[in-house]
Amino acid sequence: MNPVNPVNPVNPVNTVITVKPAQDARIRATAQSGAPARDFASASVPRHLARGAIGFGLIIGSIALVPVAGPATLLAAPLALIAFRGCPTCWMVGLAQTISRGRLERRCADGVCTLTKAPPAAKPTAAPNTPPPPR
């Protein structure tokens, strides 16, 4: 028997040995990869809602105006992708991110990620009835 290839003692050169990693190791590697997550959030909720109104308006308008102005109006629909930063689903994800920004926090430990409430930010408060500091 060939010590290099115990499975095929005749042809030891053309042997491929595959090793499948454990699923737990794959999950841990993915959680620790440090790859940046996609961020579809806007600076504020009103700004995000305005982007949505523009995007949905372009889609609805381009379809609704086909009988009046012809198929050329469908060229306005791809502009909605710019307003949505991708697609309507991307816009919805961005709306959830914009609303939850600063309120929720993702924590990953041992390959398990959880969504928890973010700790309250420390806001500097002035003591009541104190004069402002001299300049």
Side-chain angles (χ1 to χ4, degrees), residues 31-104:
Q32 296 172 353
S33 67
R38 293 289 307 233
D39 189 18
F40 296 103
S42 294
S44 67
V45 174
R47 183 179 291 180
H48 197 85
L49 292 175
R51 278 190 24 239
I54 292 169
F56 285 115
L58 283 169
I59 288 176
I60 293 168
S62 68
I63 294 171
L65 291 175
V66 168
V68 176
T73 59
L74 293 175
L75 295 174
L79 296 175
L81 299 177
I82 296 170
F84 286 140
R85 290 186 189 164
C87 61
T89 304
C90 301
W91 181 82
M92 292 295 292
V93 168
L95 179 62
Q97 287 177 342
T98 303
I99 291 171
S100 70
R101 178 154 293 171
R103 295 184 187 141
L104 297 175

